[in-house]
Every structure is written in structure tokens, then in C-alpha cells.
């Protein structure tokens, strides 16, 4: 069931199946920065400084068919984002965390220190259910300049992650959404 969130998301895409039922993808605005220990972002063990932005995405399956969601972000992003990385924080996103700092993601520094390559997600979204997930963008400090936006986009069954920082943008292949055969 769709719950109204007001202006808490940046983009919403609606995809209609052959029966006239919808799959909705809602992408949030970013929350970026760091907590008291990470005021300027994230610094890895080698001393490299990064900035990060946390996003959440909500996929709502209003159809009568289960939907298989697969996300696998590439290790190296295309230009102009080759100094950036997308990853999937392991925290569980819920709608009551929308107003929280970093949308409720906790332990980001320890996560990045130990699970920096968390880029794969496979999930089944049953009929009339939804999936909420976090997506984070980590960029070298000098490579960030301008307003940051991001979100999942579906073209056919292919899933892309759209990144836009200032006037630069890229559409990055990152997975699929496939209806399961009944």
C-alpha cells in the first residue's frame, strides 16, 4: 500500500505492466556529511578524504506478480565519476527514519572500514509489498562540486543509477527488475 511522504523524495518513476498495475520507484534527496567523528566526511586508513551522500530508494510493487530486484554496482564508475563509488549500507531503511540524520544509517565509518565493497543486493518484492534500501555515494573530496542527486531508474527490465552533481551526470547500469513467472 502506498503511503504518502509529501516532499521527502526527489524523483518518482511509475512503470505500468500489461495488466495496468504499477511499479513505483521513489528516490530521496541526499543527506550528506558526517557525524561528530566524521564532520568532513570519511577518511580511510591510508588518509584519503572522501565526502559522502546517503540516499534511500523505495520500490513499490502494486502488481499481482512477484518482482525480483537485483542491484550490482560496478567497481569503477564511468567518467566523470571515476573517483566515486556506490555502495549499499546494510542498515534497514524504514519510513520512520526519513527525518533522521543520514536517514538513520549508523556506523558508517566502521562499515566503510570493513565492508567497502558492499555493492550487491538481491531481493524479491511480493505483490502489494515494498522494498526500502539505502544507497550511498562516496567521492574523493576534490571531485565533488555542486548539488548532488541520485536515484534508480528503470528502462524496460534494466536498472540504472542516475548520478548528477552540478551540471555533470551519468546513467550507470546496475541491475534488473524482473517479474517472476507464476
Amino acid at each position: 500500500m502506498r503511503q504518502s511522504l509529501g516532499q521527502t523524495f526527489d524523483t518518482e518513476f511509475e512503470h505500468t505492466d500489461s495488466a495496468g498495475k504499477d511499479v513505483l520507484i521513489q528516490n530521496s534527496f541526499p543527506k550528506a556529511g558526517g557525524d561528530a567523528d566524521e564532520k568532513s566526511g570519511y577518511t580511510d586508513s591510508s588518509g584519503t578524504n572522501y565526502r559522502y551522500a546517503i540516499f534511500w530508494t523505495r520500490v513499490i510493487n502494486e502488481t499481482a506478480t512477484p518482482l525480483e530486484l537485483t542491484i550490482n554496482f560496478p567497481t569503477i564508475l564511468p567518467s566523470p565519476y571515476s573517483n566515486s563509488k556506490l555502495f549499499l549500507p546494510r542498515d534497514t531503511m524504514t519510513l520512520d527514519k526519513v527525518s533522521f540524520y543520514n536517514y538513520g544509517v549508523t556506523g558508517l565509518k566502521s562499515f566503510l572500514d570493513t565492508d567497502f565493497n558492499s555493492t550487491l543486493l538481491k531481493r524479491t518484492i511480493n505483490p502489494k509489498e515494498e522494498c526500502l534500501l539505502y544507497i550511498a555515494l562516496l567521492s574523493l573530496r576534490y571531485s565533488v562540486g555542486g548539488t548532488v542527486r541520485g536515484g534508480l531508474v528503470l528502462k524496460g527490465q534494466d536498472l540504472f543509477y542516475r548520478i548528477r552533481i552540478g551540471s555533470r551526470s551519468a546513467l550507470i547500469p546496475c541491475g534488473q527488475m524482473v517479474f517472476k513467472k507464476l
Side-chain angles (χ1 to χ4, degrees), residues 1-4 12-26 58-67 125-131 177 179:
M1 181 191 291
R2 196 183 315 182
Q3 177 182 349
S4 176
E12 180 175 48
F13 300 99
E14 190 169 358
H15 305 278
T16 305
D17 71 4
S18 58
K21 299 295 181 178
D22 296 324
V23 173
L24 285 110
I25 300 174
Q26 296 172 334
R58 180 183 187 198
V59 179
I60 304 169
N61 182 4
E62 295 182 340
T63 73
T65 307
L67 181 65
I125 307 171
N126 290 316
K128 311 300 180 213
E129 291 185 357
E130 65 184 24
C131 170
M177 272 201 277
F179 286 103

Side-chain angles (χ1 to χ4, degrees), residues 55-73:
F55 301 87
W56 60 263
T57 294
R58 180 183 187 198
V59 179
I60 304 169
N61 182 4
E62 295 182 340
T63 73
T65 307
L67 181 65
E68 187 71 36
L69 171 67
T70 303
I71 297 174
N72 192 7
F73 292 119

